Amino acid sequence: MKRILLVGGVGCGKTTLLQRLHGTELSYAKTETIYTDGAVVDTPGEYLELPWFKHALRLASFETELVVLLASATVGEARFPPGFTTFFMPPSIGVVTKIDIATPAEVATASSHLRLAGATELYEVSALTGEGMDVLAARLA
């Protein structure tokens, strides 16, 4: 797997996605600091949502090959500012999470937010059901 950085708001499913990618038991665990698990760097949602932490995201990206922006389909507002991917040196992709509990319109809105942030490559997944995970895992391999 490529060395990746997971970036997204609080509760968007970064850690659950990581657990699914590693094939471990799914359990809720609040990420309170930057956490490295093999080739994956998991970040707290607060690092995106609170302006004084955003520099830590950029620093964490320096040792990665790919930045993965995650947006929950169940959250209506955008968590990423327009052009956010230009903040990072590595390329970025977008992942819409929680598609199993969202309407098609909510998935489309989350996809739109990721495109506005600068993600040109998008994936729609459910870490709980596994829907879309094979395609994403192949991209990250």
Side-chain angles (χ1 to χ4, degrees):
M1 178 185 294
K2 288 181 171 62
R3 186 152 171 84
I4 63 171
L5 175 67
L6 300 178
V7 179
V10 173
C12 74
K14 294 177 300 295
T15 302
T16 305
L17 181 79
L18 173 61
Q19 292 169 351
R20 175 63 85 164
L21 287 170
H22 285 310
T24 58
E25 182 179 334
L26 300 182
S27 63
Y28 178 77
K30 172 69 181 114
T31 304
E32 296 187 16
T33 187
I34 292 178
Y35 170 76
T36 302
D37 184 2
V40 181
V41 180
D42 191 5
T43 62
E46 291 84 359
Y47 280 38
L48 173 66
E49 296 177 6
L50 301 173
W52 53 87
F53 284 127
K54 284 189 181 168
H55 71 282
L57 294 174
R58 187 166 192 191
L59 290 173
S61 76
F62 290 157
E63 298 296 322
T64 63
E65 299 171 75
L66 184 68
V67 176
V68 180
L69 305 181
L70 286 88
S72 171
T74 62
V75 175
E77 67 273 355
R79 300 291 176 150
F80 300 101
F84 186 66
T85 60
T86 63
F87 187 63
F88 301 104
M89 293 300 294
S92 302
I93 65 171
V95 176
V96 177
T97 60
K98 302 184 181 184
I99 64 169
D100 57 309
I101 57 173
T103 67
E106 290 171 324
V107 173
T109 297
S111 293
S112 177
H113 293 159
L114 288 169
R115 272 192 230 90
L116 186 60
T120 56
E121 190 178 337
L122 297 176
Y123 298 86
E124 298 172 356
V125 303
S126 168
L128 291 180
T129 68
E131 184 179 352
M133 290 299 300
D134 289 344
V135 175
L136 178 61
R139 170 60 175 92
L140 300 177

